[in-house]
Amino acid sequence: MRTYDNPILEALPKHLQRYVVDQNYDRYSAMDQAIWRYVMRQNYAYLKDYAFYPYIPGLTKAGLTIERIPDLQEMNDSLKRIGWGAVTVDGFIPPAAFMEFQANCVLVIAADIRQMEHIEYTPAPDIIHESSGHAPIIGEPEYAAYLQYFGEVGSKAMSSGKDFQLYEAIRHLSIVKEREDATQEEIDSATKAFEEIANNMGEPSEMALLSRLHWWTVEYGLIGSVEDHKIYGAGLLSSIGESVSCMQPEVTKLPYSLETITYSYDITKPQPQLFVTPDFQHAYAVLEEFADGMAFRTGGIAGLRKAIDSGQVSTVQLSSGLQVSGVFEHFISDTEVVAIKTTGPTALAFEGKEIKGQGKKHHPDGFSSPLGELLGQKKSLEDCTDTDLQAMGLEIGKFCTLYFKSGILVSGQLDAMVREGDKLLILTFSDCTVVHEPSNKTLFQPEWGVFDMAVGDTISSVFAGAADKFAFDPEVSVSSTKTEKIIRTQAQLDLFSIYGQIREMRRSEVETGTLDELVQQVINHHPEDWLALVELYELAVFNGDDPNTKRIKDSLMKKAEQKPDLHKLIVDGLRIAETQPINLELVK
């Protein structure tokens, strides 16, 4: 797989690198290049007046040009100057992974590009949306800081068990809708599957609510006032259709606040309302307000329940600072946290660094430990000094007994302990028995081996993923559904050849005879195409070729009358060709 010269990318955890795919620049046909160029020329003409001011200069800062689809190395050459990077992925990736990339200052860019039928807007992520939408605004330091911090918060958000099902349904629907050969039956089936899951999600998870804040700011945000605003959301900046329609009074504009989390969204339709933030400091403050209620800041039994419900690797941080990372399951009590239990590989860490000898190899089949205060002890075990422990009868090499207020009894030989600063984190016992006396349930037996007991009175934080992502290297959920590559017909290949010739003609002197021939080929053999004629019209206007100018325009306007859905695209294309002449310095 191709690697990019950017230190930001070299620092990515391995589990994120598994989502990265080759851009494979040769995949882009001359028609794909024409789609990119059309959208970018339209964007430049319109968004210079309606986009947030850093957008236009930000195109250059992000390594983008109007004339051709960006090469990821060129983007990385530009982005690394402002502390960011970019990678290509296969369509939608899980929200948690997307957020983690963002937290690491990496833009995730779908390698594919939309098909002609979706040139105004596509429900699938594509290189137009991700690069021309997100990248140009990153040159604004306050926005870049907001985006990176959103990723940090988002990477800690807890997902529900149904969130991944919804992600798979959205991904499948977007792929089907973007396929050229998809039947209506396939589209209807994918839509129905998506709607069935979306309508039965239950209480939205932290990630679901946070995704709404992300949607109404990073993707579809406006900045300024309700009466006077500009576009900064990438979904709008990359949609030549909705970037225009969203500014109309029919689309309600509301002040951005935490209440925005009550507004769900549909990626397949234009948005009925948009939210306006006065500045990025306000957007940051709303994010902070939401984060204050998240499990990574509140912890407790509610946070533990979120970890159990997710069914994914999560981290429970105890009041001592010890971090336990694994897949959590229900254990003993429904009303209070008396113990924690994981299944499968588990690791113990402190301040995001795995504790030596306490990784997945040491705990391959799970981990369990009582929590809480000891019966008859005024001082928390986590705060005890060696002198305190000796007074309690806890000494290395001696048989010891601990009795928790919850009714859990731990008895065994104390072999070792782990401290960090003033905090006691782990007590290790051999020949150990752990019993929950109220239920008469044995939780650990001597023949099971060494018992590492986590020390902590309460759960102070719960967040998604492992504490030490580099050491834990979790398994990732890479979708089995891949974006599908279409087998091209000979007619399509012939049309691509025409687009290629047009592209070359912009680089050199255009001969009228060659232009006549290409116009004739498109009109006679590719009557469904309109974009090639727009590009030929640009050449005719540029060269003062009045006969071809009239001929092409008449043909295009006839298409616009026959297919009203093409009318705006064609008219806008003609207008740009007439008002923005080809810049030979850009195309050479």
Side-chain angles (χ1 to χ4, degrees), residues 295 298-307 337 462:
T298 60
I301 192 168
L304 180 59
R305 284 176 178 154
K306 290 178 180 179
V337 180
V462 180

Side-chain angles (χ1 to χ4, degrees), residues 43 46-56 129 132-134 136-137 140 143 215-225 228-248 251 253 274-277 280:
N43 276 348
Y46 175 77
L47 292 175
K48 61 181 172 39
D49 298 319
Y50 292 96
F52 184 48
Y53 72 90
Y55 178 78
I56 296 300
H129 167 73
S132 72
H134 286 290
I137 307 296
E140 169 61 28
Y143 177 76
W215 183 264
W216 298 123
T217 57
V218 175
E219 296 292 353
Y220 276 76
L222 302 176
I223 189 166
S225 66
D228 183 17
H229 41 262
K230 300 289 186 182
I231 298 169
Y232 75 90
L236 295 174
L237 292 175
S238 61
S239 170
I240 56 177
E242 202 164 0
S243 62
V244 175
S245 64
C246 78
M247 302 302 280
Q248 303 305 311
V251 179
K253 313 301 189 302
L274 296 173
F275 297 88
V276 188
T277 185
F280 293 123

Side-chain angles (χ1 to χ4, degrees), residues 155-209:
S155 63
K156 293 181 173 68
M158 301 301 300
S159 300
S160 71
K162 291 185 176 181
D163 283 346
F164 190 74
Q165 297 177 33
L166 182 65
Y167 151 72
E168 283 282 13
I170 291 174
R171 177 181 167 84
H172 179 62
L173 175 60
S174 69
I175 290 172
V176 170
K177 284 196 167 187
E178 190 60 26
R179 264 182 40 213
E180 293 178 13
D181 61 345
T183 65
Q184 189 59 48
E185 183 180 359
E186 288 177 313
I187 295 173
D188 291 343
S189 176
T191 302
K192 182 180 179 182
F194 161 71
E195 291 175 346
E196 286 178 353
I197 295 173
N199 294 332
N200 293 280
M201 290 293 292
E203 191 72 21
S205 67
E206 287 181 353
M207 182 60 81
L209 295 176

Side-chain angles (χ1 to χ4, degrees), residues 9 94 172 275 284 327 341 349 371 410 425 430 438 541 570 584:
L9 304 185
H172 179 62
F275 297 88
Y284 191 102
V327 178
K341 180 176 175 61
L371 302 180
V410 178
L425 303 183
S430 59
V541 170
I570 290 172
L584 293 180

